[in-house]
Amino acid sequence: MDHALPAWYDRLMKKYPVVTQAEWQLLDSIATVKHIKKGDTFLRYGKVARYSAFVISGMFKFSILDEEGNEKIVKFGFADDFLANCESYNRKAPSAISIVAVEDAVVLRINIKKLQPLYDLHMNLLHVNLQLYQELLEQQSEHQYILSLKTPLQRYRFLLERRPAIIQKISLTNIARYLYTSREALSRARLYLLDQTRNFCD
């Protein structure tokens, strides 16, 4: 029997219109709602990924450690985004990334083992899986492009023009880690752009 789905599914239905109401209910039956506090991990370095999740509220960072043990951020996850490390799950290998809440968050957590058999039965879910994979590849190539820009100023300007949500919602420290630059250099770039804007308005 169909049960009423929580309100956050309305947003997911808009984002992934190919999935039917019945399929969302099927997903809901294997999913659990988890509250994750700021600073806690959804997936820890060195752990094999067993779960994926849709973000209901809050934000996450996907981070790696460089040779010196410094944190670098490879992407952010916002509301309605998908959290996963498919490579770790498929290879049964320890995760090279950590997925951490940057503010208190709520996720819809799904055991990947339970999810995979559904792809054979429900092409729409497989379609969403491919869409998510496509999004991930696009985000990775965009991040590579940002890092190919020579200066912190160019990198910050790119975010300002193309990804204002990151500028608005993420702390300067975490943006610096995403742009692979120092907080000081980023602070100078931001001040420079603010001055330019003021001069333009004067």
Side-chain angles (χ1 to χ4, degrees), residues 82-108:
F82 195 63
L83 307 179
N85 183 351
C86 302
E87 188 183 7
S88 167
Y89 176 82
N90 292 331
R91 293 184 176 179
K92 303 287 178 275
S95 175
I97 61 164
S98 201
I99 305 176
V100 183
V102 293
E103 62 181 23
D104 288 353
V106 183
V107 302
L108 190 65

Side-chain angles (χ1 to χ4, degrees), residues 93-159:
S95 175
I97 61 164
S98 201
I99 305 176
V100 183
V102 293
E103 62 181 23
D104 288 353
V106 183
V107 302
L108 190 65
R109 192 177 78 161
I110 303 163
N111 185 323
I112 305 171
K113 204 173 178 177
K114 290 182 180 171
L115 183 60
Q116 287 205 315
L118 301 182
Y119 295 146
D120 298 334
L121 305 169
H122 300 271
M123 287 308 289
N124 293 338
L125 295 180
L126 182 63
H127 180 85
V128 167
N129 191 44
L130 294 173
Q131 186 180 334
L132 290 165
Y133 190 66
Q134 184 75 30
E135 278 175 24
L136 183 64
L137 289 178
E138 284 167 9
Q139 285 166 348
Q140 282 175 340
S141 67
E142 181 179 87
H143 191 223
Q144 287 306 315
Y145 173 75
I146 292 169
L147 296 180
S148 77
L149 298 171
K150 293 285 183 283
T151 66
L153 180 63
Q154 289 170 318
R155 293 175 189 183
Y156 189 77
R157 187 183 275 139
F158 180 93
L159 284 190

Side-chain angles (χ1 to χ4, degrees), residues 38-39 59-63 71-76 100-103 143 156 159 166-167 169-183 186:
K38 178 182 178 177
M59 294 183 293
F60 289 83
K61 61 182 177 182
F62 289 62
S63 55
E71 182 189 37
K72 298 232 165 110
I73 295 172
V74 292
K75 83 187 212 75
F76 296 104
V100 183
V102 293
E103 62 181 23
H143 191 223
Y156 189 77
L159 284 190
I166 290 178
I167 302 285
K169 297 176 178 178
I170 301 292
S171 71
L172 201 63
T173 301
N174 280 332
I175 294 174
R177 287 170 182 163
Y178 179 67
L179 297 180
Y180 292 20
T181 186
S182 71
R183 195 179 184 281
L186 197 59

